[in-house]
Amino acid sequence: GPQRGAPGRNGLSVDAMERLIAELKRLYLPRGAVAPDALARHLLGQESLPVRLAADDGHVRALALPFERRKGDGEDGHWERLCAVANALQSGLDLPAPAVSITGEAGYRLWLSFGVPVPRDEAQRFVTGLAAAYAPDAGLESVDLAAPVALPPCLHPRTGLWAAFIHPGMGGSFTGDAGLELPPPLAG
């Protein structure tokens, strides 16, 4: 395999891949949810590996809230809903900025990470309250926190487009796109 510091597949060094995996596990994944080698294959687009953000003990480490394009939305209705919730999280609830991703299909996700895992029912109450107070038309109250989700960056198996974390200030430029045609720079 590639040596430490030397470029590997997709121009990514082994060190950079290990750092990316460590950060994804720290921020979003329950302990032991995915083996590092399987996660590496997922990140390189070699296999699709939806992951559960809920651990077997009923706790969640993170939330991935979907904002999908809907009929009658126009080009950016899903983005506007995401912005309303992201702004409410930061200014209304004084929480850190969530991560934003494009899905590779037809929308965005807001990613919220908890400092420590919380019971899934508590996280569900948070999402339900968030939806009621700040985004009653976003459909967030029906989000299944136990359902597997594609952790970016990854290749969407049906569309062949890449899901990726994006800079929130650039999100509006992706409203007409389902995903990226090329893999995102993983080191970023």
Side-chain angles (χ1 to χ4, degrees):
Q3 296 177 351
R4 292 215 171 277
R9 288 183 221 151
N10 293 355
L12 186 66
S13 74
V14 172
D15 291 339
M17 178 63 85
E18 287 175 354
R19 281 192 306 274
L20 175 61
I21 288 171
E23 284 302 299
L24 292 172
K25 288 171 69 175
R26 179 182 72 81
L27 290 169
Y28 304 117
L29 298 176
R31 180 166 285 142
V34 182
D37 58 333
L39 187 53
R41 288 190 304 275
H42 170 78
L43 298 172
L44 293 169
Q46 297 168 349
E47 70 178 70
S48 177
L49 181 68
V51 295
R52 289 185 45 211
L53 301 179
D56 291 338
D57 69 0
H59 285 72
V60 294
R61 180 73 184 88
L63 302 174
L65 304 178
F67 293 85
E68 297 175 356
R69 197 174 295 138
R70 296 181 187 159
K71 187 177 180 175
D73 254 354
E75 193 167 285
D76 61 354
H78 57 317
W79 175 247
E80 290 173 1
R81 283 190 298 278
L82 177 142
C83 289
V85 172
N87 289 335
L89 288 167
Q90 293 172 76
S91 39
L93 300 175
D94 201 29
L95 295 174
V100 177
S101 71
I102 53 175
T103 64
E105 188 172 23
Y108 298 95
R109 281 197 185 0
L110 270 183
W111 294 81
L112 292 83
S113 180
F114 297 113
V116 295
V118 299
R120 190 170 73 211
D121 60 339
E122 185 178 318
Q124 189 65 59
R125 283 192 303 274
F126 172 77
V127 172
T128 301
L130 181 69
Y134 299 105
D137 64 337
L140 296 178
E141 65 282 347
S142 63
V143 170
D144 180 359
L145 300 182
V149 64
L151 179 64
C154 62
L155 188 61
H156 192 283
R158 194 172 65 248
T159 67
L161 297 171
W162 284 85
F165 287 106
I166 59 172
H167 186 282
M170 299 284 296
S173 64
F174 290 99
T175 58
D177 298 324
L180 303 176
E181 291 184 12
L182 298 173
L186 298 182

